[in-house]
Amino acid sequence: MTFASRVRLLCLTSALTVFAATGATIFPVLPAFALSDIKDITPPTADKAAPDPAEPGIDEEGEELLPEDASPAIPDPDPLIKPADQQDTAAPEPDAAPAEIIYDIEKAPEPVRRMRQLIIDAATSGDIARLRPLMNPGPDQTQVQLEGSDKDPIDTLKSLSGDPEGMEILAILLDILSTGFVHVDKGTPDEAYVWPYFTGKQLGQLTPVEKVELLRIVTAGDVAEMQEYGNYNFFRAGITPDGRWKFFTAGD
């Protein structure tokens, strides 16, 4: 008998003695095995219980089945989202294209060319009073400020000038009429040929060349102030297609 067998017999004898002394029920004792006798036995892995295909409401994949006459639940629509048939389909209107800049005075009607030259001749003389007969005195006289006024237009121009004789205004008028121009409000009562062309273009869209032209009329400080509003707001002159000097004003 090997040493290991004698040890197992001794343990078994001791256990029987203890059970007999205590009056405990003795169960059959399985034979002991040496460590070398134990095989590498892996307990069988229980297969995942497959759902019973016959079970109502469950398919073979374990997914819940819906009755034939039932359809998937649809969540309540978001009250902040309009149904497709109520969506606003109108596309936002694009920004208006800038007016065409015209440098060739010959492209303007003859009455417009004539009035522009008369204004230039009067301003070049240095006598602001020579503008008076060109301003169409009467109910349709040339507008020289944004709001209507019964004040004499020449007196108004002098009050806007940095000198009492209105020389600065005459210089501004000449600078403006030397730039390109735009044809605005075509086919309406407000139709006019307007100088300078900056009135028809956003300042943010000016090219470097156009910025230089603007600085021939106003200072860099004036341009910085205009950029806050995005529009040219210095003096402008307008002549109607039939040759009437319509306005010479400043502002938006």
Side-chain angles (χ1 to χ4, degrees), residues 144-161:
V144 293
Q145 58 186 30
L146 294 180
E147 297 180 358
S149 173
D150 295 333
K151 188 175 181 179
D152 179 77
I154 298 301
D155 291 340
T156 300
L157 291 179
K158 287 182 177 180
S159 68
L160 297 174
S161 183

Side-chain angles (χ1 to χ4, degrees), residues 13-252:
T13 303
S14 300
L16 290 174
T17 303
V18 173
F19 279 113
T22 59
T25 302
I26 299 175
F27 294 94
V29 180
L30 296 176
F33 297 93
L35 293 177
S36 60
D37 298 331
I38 298 176
K39 303 295 183 180
D40 185 11
I41 302 175
T42 302
T45 303
D47 296 333
K48 181 180 179 181
D52 184 359
E55 183 179 354
I58 303 296
D59 63 9
E60 295 182 356
E61 300 297 331
E63 301 293 338
E64 183 178 359
L65 295 175
L66 295 174
E68 294 182 359
D69 58 346
S71 58
I74 300 176
D76 293 335
D78 190 332
L80 298 181
I81 301 178
K82 294 181 181 180
D85 58 348
Q86 298 181 16
Q87 292 284 353
D88 297 330
T89 56
E93 295 183 2
D95 294 337
E100 178 189 2
I101 301 172
I102 307 171
Y103 285 97
D104 186 0
I105 189 59
E106 295 300 321
K107 292 184 177 181
E110 191 280 332
V112 174
R113 300 197 305 268
R114 180 176 180 274
M115 175 55 71
R116 171 180 174 273
Q117 189 59 51
L118 289 173
I119 296 173
I120 291 175
D121 293 343
T124 304
S125 71
D127 183 2
I128 196 171
R130 291 185 58 177
L131 294 177
R132 189 186 304 277
L134 306 178
M135 304 185 78
N136 193 29
D140 293 329
Q141 73 179 7
T142 303
Q143 183 182 359
V144 293
Q145 58 186 30
L146 294 180
E147 297 180 358
S149 173
D150 295 333
K151 188 175 181 179
D152 179 77
I154 298 301
D155 291 340
T156 300
L157 291 179
K158 287 182 177 180
S159 68
L160 297 174
S161 183
D163 64 289
E165 297 180 354
M167 296 292 185
E168 182 183 39
I169 288 295
L170 295 178
I172 291 172
L173 189 53
L174 288 172
D175 285 341
I176 286 175
L177 292 177
S178 67
T179 69
F181 58 98
V182 289
H183 185 190
V184 301
D185 299 323
K186 299 178 183 179
T188 72
D190 294 326
E191 182 176 4
Y193 291 82
V194 181
W195 286 261
Y197 65 84
F198 307 111
T199 59
K201 189 171 184 178
Q202 295 290 326
L203 294 186
Q205 299 176 350
L206 297 182
T207 66
V209 172
E210 293 168 346
K211 290 178 180 178
V212 171
E213 291 180 341
L214 177 59
L215 289 170
R216 293 177 60 187
I217 300 174
V218 298
T219 66
D222 293 330
V223 173
E225 183 178 345
M226 291 177 189
Q227 287 176 335
E228 295 182 6
Y229 302 96
N231 298 317
Y232 172 86
N233 60 12
F234 197 55
F235 283 95
R236 67 201 67 192
I239 301 174
T240 63
D242 60 0
R244 180 173 63 87
W245 187 7
K246 187 173 185 179
F247 59 81
F248 178 53
T249 60
D252 294 330

